[in-house]
Amino acid sequence: MRWMRAMAMAAAMTVSIAGALPALAQDKMTVLLDWFVNPDHGPLYVAQEKGYFREEGLAVEMIAPADPNDPPRLVAAGRGDIAISYQPQLHLQVDAGLPVVRVGTLVATPLNTVIVLKDGPIKSIKDLKGKKVGFSVGGFEDALLGAMLEKHGLTLQDVTLINVNFSLSPALFAGQVDAIVGGYRNFELNQMAIEKKEGRAFFPEEEGVPPYDELVFITARNKVNDPRIGRFLNAVERGTQFLINHPDEAWGLFIKGRKDLDTELNRRAWKDTIARFAHSPRALDNARYDRFAQFLKARGLIKTTPDVATYAVEVK
């Protein structure tokens, strides 16, 4: 068995030499989040804590924005490598001339909803006729609500829109409005349940709105071929797989060193978000993106529908 001893000695020497070598330099990468840290970002923080970014040779810094509108503009200007944004916003930004491109998907289904009180009189979208609907941001939310109403023979003229800023649930609780548009199914519904005021959600993708990706990874057009992006997506995919397979352990990684995230709302949202994550962040459905662009153009939100390849790619 002399050969086995020789192999063992060689392996030991290799480990010893490797241990003496300095660690390889990692490529720095800045990721601008769309909002403050929350369960929507789970795969990234799991990838960070599990060392998946490090294994891809990346040192990733994730930054929450002071203004949620800033990340796309910042990456377009080269002041960040990747930003998390929204597919609907992507179309509007590209139409306005912002040089950004979708390179991956984080949340592959809509999260947006129309929400009413579960024990209230509104049981379907058609019951919104003559009612007051609260919203935070005009434009896309108007288009979304309009399409949902039209499926039931109504129009935006059949409801009264009230800007409640970002006080969606409070406005509903106070009776200021009869419904809200723009509440996320993984957050607002859970917040309402915690406050003992159950909500009923109507899902846009079931009510006449083409399905879309809620959260996407974007970069500047001139960075599309940056090799770091593919490595980043490799790590995110591994983080997603681990999160799906081990949700409780992944939750522990998510809140590790971030105890302020360990709230009842986040715990509930975590469970409701798992099924929404893109299993293959790279994957791109060109027809789906084009269909959604056609929807936005028909609603007057964008002027043209350029070839999908000009604003969304599948990174190799």
Side-chain angles (χ1 to χ4, degrees):
M1 298 296 179
R2 190 174 298 171
W3 64 274
M4 293 180 67
R5 289 198 296 274
M7 287 183 66
M9 289 176 63
M13 289 178 64
T14 300
V15 171
S16 177
I17 292 171
L21 291 173
L24 293 175
Q26 294 181 314
D27 294 327
K28 293 183 179 179
M29 198 167 202
T30 300
V31 178
L32 306 179
L33 305 180
D34 58 302
W35 198 247
F36 55 83
V37 180
N38 65 74
D40 290 346
H41 309 131
L44 283 79
Y45 283 90
V46 170
Q48 188 84 287
E49 296 296 336
K50 292 290 291 181
Y52 298 152
F53 289 132
R54 184 177 63 251
E55 290 172 14
E56 291 288 342
L58 297 174
V60 174
E61 180 184 14
M62 289 172 277
I63 301 174
D67 181 341
N69 295 310
D70 285 345
R73 294 195 292 264
L74 291 174
V75 293
R79 295 170 60 190
D81 298 304
I82 286 178
I84 297 176
S85 190
Y86 310 83
Q87 185 189 335
Q89 275 194 359
L90 171 66
H91 292 279
L92 272 62
Q93 291 157 355
V94 170
D95 192 63
L98 196 67
V100 292
V101 177
R102 173 267 183 210
V103 291
T105 297
L106 177 59
V107 173
T109 76
L111 294 179
N112 216 322
T113 58
V114 168
I115 297 176
V116 300
L117 291 173
K118 191 173 184 178
D119 60 1
I122 300 170
K123 307 301 182 185
S124 76
I125 292 293
K126 65 182 179 182
D127 295 330
L128 289 176
K129 185 174 183 178
K131 303 298 184 182
K132 293 178 287 188
V133 181
F135 71 97
S136 295
V137 182
F140 174 62
E141 289 181 1
D142 293 353
L144 181 145
L145 177 62
M148 296 174 74
L149 289 168
E150 286 175 17
K151 185 183 177 185
H152 296 269
L154 304 176
T155 70
L156 286 173
Q157 283 65 50
D158 289 306
V159 300
T160 301
L161 292 172
I162 297 178
N163 189 336
V164 296
N165 294 313
F166 290 97
S167 297
L168 290 170
S169 298
L172 188 60
F173 296 159
Q176 182 182 351
V177 294
D178 304 292
I180 54 175
V181 58
Y184 275 13
R185 62 194 70 179
N186 56 340
F187 279 96
E188 263 74 14
L189 285 175
N190 282 310
Q191 183 64 58
M192 294 174 72
I194 289 171
E195 298 188 30
K196 308 300 183 186
K197 296 181 179 179
E198 296 282 343
R200 180 194 308 279
F202 301 106
F203 305 120
E205 66 274 24
E206 295 178 357
E207 299 287 353
V209 178
Y212 59 89
D213 298 340
E214 190 68 55
L215 294 178
V216 294
F217 297 113
I218 63 172
T219 192
R221 187 174 295 144
N222 61 9
K223 281 190 177 181
V224 166
N225 295 318
D226 187 329
R228 295 176 301 167
I229 294 175
R231 288 148 54 193
F232 170 80
L233 294 173
N234 289 342
V236 172
E237 182 170 351
R238 291 180 66 190
T240 303
Q241 290 171 346
F242 186 89
L243 188 157
I244 291 170
N245 292 337
H246 311 282
D248 293 338
E249 187 176 348
W251 167 255
L253 295 172
F254 176 66
I255 63 172
K256 183 180 178 181
R258 295 174 285 271
K259 287 299 182 183
D260 57 308
L261 299 179
D262 189 10
T263 66
E264 178 64 19
L265 176 58
N266 277 343
R267 284 192 293 273
R268 294 188 183 210
W270 181 265
K271 294 178 181 178
D272 286 349
T273 310
I274 291 172
R276 307 290 172 180
F277 291 122
H279 292 195
S280 177
R282 273 183 170 81
L284 171 66
D285 186 334
N286 283 273
R288 190 178 193 230
Y289 269 63
D290 187 60
R291 187 166 59 244
F292 193 72
Q294 297 292 344
F295 167 79
L296 294 178
K297 184 173 184 292
R299 295 277 153 186
L301 293 181
I302 58 177
K303 298 181 290 294
T304 62
T305 55
D307 187 81
V308 173
T310 64
Y311 63 88
V313 299
E314 189 165 314
V315 176
K316 303 301 181 186

